[in-house]
Amino acid sequence: MTQQDLFKLKPLLAVLLAGFALTACSVGPDYVRPQLDPAPAVFKEGQDWHPAQPRDLVTDGKWWEMFGDAQLNALVAQVDISNQNLALAEANFRSAVALVQSSRSAYSPTLAASASASRSGGNSSSSSSSSSSSSSSSGSVRNSYNFALTASWEADIWGKVRRDVEASQASAQASAGDLAAARLSAQAQLAQNYLQLRVLDAQQQVLQDTVEAYQRSYQLTQNQYAAGMVAKSDVIQAQTQLKSAQASALDNGVTRAQVEHAIALLVGKTPSNFSLPKAPLTAVAPPVPQGVPSMLLERRPDVAAAERRVAAANAKIGVAKAAYFPSLTLSASGGYQSSSFADWFTLPGRVWSLGPQLAQTIFDGGARSAATDQAIASYDGTVATYKQTVLTAFQDVEDNLAALRILEQEAAVQNEALQAARQAVTLVTNQYKAGTVSYVSVITAQATALSAELTSLNIINRRMAASVLLAKALGGGWDAHDLDDLGPLQRQQAEKAKALKDNAALR
C-alpha cells in the first residue's frame, strides 16, 4: 500500500478513532440492587439480629457435622460425586460460563478466509442482416482462482456488547447460585432422610421391645386363665394387643425401606445396590445459638441467584435500547484473484478493500419498542421474584426457629408424660397380678406408654428435621465464626476479597 493510499484512508481512520472514543458510552439503566421495603430489622424469633442484604457467598461449612454422626458425614460426601440433579445443575453452570465467553467474543473482530477455483464457459452467436451468410461463434472457456481474507468489527459505540456481557456474567453468577442451591437442597434432603431413618430404627426397637412385653403379658394371662383366676376374654385381649403390636412393627419396615430408597437416589445409586444396616440413634439436635445474625441469610444461594437474575434483566434493557442507535461496522478484505493457476499468488492478482459501514433501522413496525417493553417487564418480574425469595427466606428462618423453640418445650413435657406412663404400666401390671384391677386397665396403660414412646421419638424426628431446615434456611448452618461481630473495616475488606474472587472466577 503506497503513501498516497494511506493519505486517502485518513477520513476512514478518523471515523475509526471516533468510534473508539464513543465506546465509553452505554445506554440503559445502571444496576442498583432492589431494596426490600419494609426490611425487617430483627427476626421475631430472635434477639439482636441485624438486617440482611443477600450477597453471593459460598457455603463452605460442613453444617451436617453438627449432628455428630459419622455415617451421615460419609453419605453427604457422596452427594457431590453421584447426585444426578447436582450433575445437571453443574452442567448448566458450565453452559452459563461458556455463554459469558461467547458474549465477550463480540469485542474482537471476525476474521474469515476463503478460497475457490472455478471453470466456466459459454457460446455466443452473431448474424449480419446484410449478409446471407451466417457465422457460428466459437465457444469460450474461462478459469477463475480466488483467495481472500476478510475481517470485520462492529464498534460497541452504545454499549450493546458491554450490556450483553454484563447480562451473561450475571446469568452465570445466578447459575452458580442455582448450583449451590441444588447442592444445599440435596444435602439437606439427605440429612433429613437419614435422621428419619435412624428415628425409624429407634421406633422399630421400641416396637420390638413392646412386642416382647406384650408377649410376656399374653403368657401371664394364659397362666392365670389356666389357674382359673381370669376369664378367657383377658387372654383374647392380650393376644389382640400382641398381634396389633406385631403388625405395627412390620408396617414400620415399609416406611424404613422407602426412606432408605430415597437416600439411595440422593447418592446416585439404585436401591437394589444400596442398604443401611439398622443402628441406634446417636445424632442429637444441635442447640441454636442465641442472637444468630440475620446476615446469615446473605449466604442463601437462592436469594443470591434471584438477585443476580435481576442484574441480568437490568442489563438486557440496555441491550434492547441500543437497537435504537446506528451501528458502525469496519471491514477489510484482501487476497488474490487470477485466471491462471500459475499466476494466482502474484502481485498483479492482488485485490483489497477497506471501509466503514454505518447502518440505522428507520422503520420496524414497533419491534424495537416492543423489545424494550418486554425487557422492562422482564426486569420488573425478576425484581418481584427476588423480593418474594427474600421474604420466603425470612419466613423459613422464622418457621424453624419457632419450631425448634416450641419442640424443645414439648420434648420436656412429653418426657415427663413418658416417665409417668412407664410407672403406670408397672403399677397396673402389679395390681393385675394381685387381682385388684381388670386386664382392661393393663391394656390401657400399655397402649398409653407405647403412644408416649412413639410420640417422644416423633418429636425427636421433628426437632432433627427443623434443625436441618434451619441450616438450609440460613444458607448452610452456623458456627462460632458467624457470631463474631466484625467491624466495618473488616467487613468491607471481606466483601472486596469476595468480589475479586467472583470476578476472577468468571474470566
Side-chain angles (χ1 to χ4, degrees):
M1 188 179 297
T2 65
Q3 184 176 3
Q4 185 177 5
D5 292 333
L6 291 174
F7 180 78
K8 294 179 180 179
L9 291 176
K10 282 185 177 181
L12 176 61
L13 295 176
V15 173
L16 178 62
L17 293 175
F20 277 114
L22 288 172
T23 54
C25 171
S26 293
V27 297
D30 292 329
Y31 176 66
V32 178
R33 177 178 294 164
Q35 298 297 319
L36 187 66
D37 187 28
V42 295
F43 284 106
K44 182 179 180 181
E45 294 291 333
Q47 299 293 329
D48 301 325
W49 291 28
H50 306 289
Q53 295 179 351
R55 294 172 302 186
D56 195 3
L57 301 183
V58 180
T59 57
D60 292 328
K62 297 181 179 180
W63 56 268
W64 53 89
E65 293 183 352
M66 63 186 178
F67 291 97
D69 192 301
Q71 181 69 62
L72 174 61
N73 299 342
L75 288 172
V76 173
Q78 299 180 39
V79 170
D80 281 344
I81 301 173
S82 304
N83 186 272
Q84 299 306 308
N85 289 332
L86 196 57
L88 172 62
E90 189 273 338
N92 291 335
F93 171 66
R94 287 189 285 110
S95 175
V97 172
L99 287 177
V100 175
Q101 182 58 38
S102 176
S103 299
R104 283 177 172 167
S105 66
Y107 285 128
S108 305
T110 300
L111 180 64
S114 64
S116 65
S118 62
R119 183 178 177 87
S120 60
N123 294 322
S124 61
S125 60
S126 62
S127 60
S128 175
S129 58
S130 59
S131 175
S132 60
S133 66
S134 61
S135 64
S136 299
S137 65
S138 61
S140 62
V141 178
R142 183 175 182 273
N143 296 326
S144 177
Y145 301 94
N146 295 279
F147 175 79
L149 288 175
T150 304
S152 63
W153 176 70
E154 182 178 348
D156 190 26
I157 300 177
W158 314 111
K160 177 182 178 180
V161 176
R162 285 191 298 280
R163 292 299 191 192
D164 190 50
V165 171
E166 181 183 335
S168 298
Q169 287 178 325
S171 296
Q173 291 166 350
S175 184
D178 291 339
L179 174 58
R183 177 180 291 108
L184 180 59
S185 178
Q187 292 169 346
Q189 188 63 52
L190 175 61
Q192 199 170 349
N193 288 346
Y194 175 81
L195 294 171
Q196 182 184 1
L197 185 79
R198 291 304 175 221
V199 171
L200 289 170
D201 288 344
Q203 288 179 344
Q204 187 68 27
Q205 186 61 50
V206 168
L207 290 169
Q208 289 177 355
D209 293 342
T210 300
V211 168
E212 293 175 1
Y214 287 179
Q215 183 69 48
R216 291 192 295 269
S217 296
Y218 176 56
Q219 187 64 46
L220 174 63
T221 59
Q222 283 183 320
N223 294 337
Q224 290 186 330
Y225 173 71
M229 298 175 59
V230 299
K232 180 67 173 179
S233 59
D234 288 0
V235 177
I236 296 175
Q237 288 176 335
Q239 185 181 24
T240 302
Q241 188 180 41
L242 172 61
K243 294 302 180 181
S244 296
Q246 291 174 339
S248 296
L250 292 173
D251 185 70
N252 189 72
V254 176
T255 305
R256 189 193 189 280
Q258 292 174 345
V259 173
E260 186 180 68
H261 298 163
I263 295 175
L265 186 64
L266 287 168
V267 297
K269 296 181 179 180
T270 58
S272 60
N273 296 326
F274 179 84
S275 63
L276 286 173
K278 293 182 175 61
L281 177 64
T282 58
V284 293
V288 180
Q290 296 298 319
V292 177
S294 65
M295 73 177 187
L296 289 180
L297 280 176
E298 299 172 2
R299 304 189 314 184
R300 280 187 60 128
D302 58 340
V303 174
E307 185 270 336
R308 289 289 81 201
R309 287 189 171 89
V310 176
N314 181 83
K316 289 179 181 178
I317 296 177
V319 174
K321 289 188 174 182
Y324 283 100
F325 300 92
S327 62
L328 175 63
T329 303
L330 305 178
S331 60
S333 65
Y336 294 89
Q337 182 177 3
S338 175
S339 60
S340 171
F341 182 80
D343 298 330
W344 190 356
F345 294 98
T346 58
L347 190 62
R350 183 186 62 180
V351 292
W352 63 273
S353 66
L354 179 67
Q357 177 183 358
L358 193 65
Q360 168 67 52
T361 301
I362 298 176
F363 178 76
D364 60 4
R368 288 172 295 177
S369 176
T372 302
D373 292 342
Q374 188 273 335
I376 294 174
S378 178
Y379 169 80
D380 292 339
T382 57
V383 170
T385 300
Y386 167 69
K387 291 183 177 181
Q388 184 65 31
T389 304
V390 173
L391 290 173
T392 302
F394 278 99
Q395 179 191 359
D396 289 344
V397 175
E398 295 279 13
D399 287 348
N400 292 289
L401 281 175
L404 287 173
R405 175 178 59 82
I406 297 171
L407 286 172
E408 183 177 8
Q409 299 171 359
E410 185 179 355
V413 174
Q414 182 61 32
N415 186 60
E416 295 176 358
L418 177 59
Q419 298 303 322
R422 288 172 177 173
Q423 292 177 3
V425 171
T426 303
L427 293 174
V428 173
T429 301
N430 292 333
Q431 291 173 350
Y432 176 73
K433 291 178 181 179
T436 58
V437 297
S438 66
Y439 194 71
V440 174
S441 299
V442 177
I443 292 177
T444 302
Q446 288 177 337
T448 302
L450 176 59
S451 177
E453 292 272 10
L454 297 178
T455 301
S456 295
L457 289 173
N458 184 52
I459 292 175
I460 292 175
N461 182 47
R462 292 169 63 191
R463 291 181 67 188
M464 294 291 188
S467 297
V468 171
L469 293 176
L470 179 60
K472 180 183 177 183
L474 294 173
W478 57 81
D479 54 42
H481 299 291
D482 294 327
L483 303 179
D484 294 340
D485 187 15
L486 298 178
L489 179 60
Q490 291 87 348
R491 186 174 298 175
Q492 185 179 13
Q493 290 174 345
E495 291 177 357
K496 288 182 178 179
K498 180 60 176 62
L500 292 174
K501 180 181 178 181
D502 287 345
N503 292 334
L506 292 177
R507 286 174 182 169

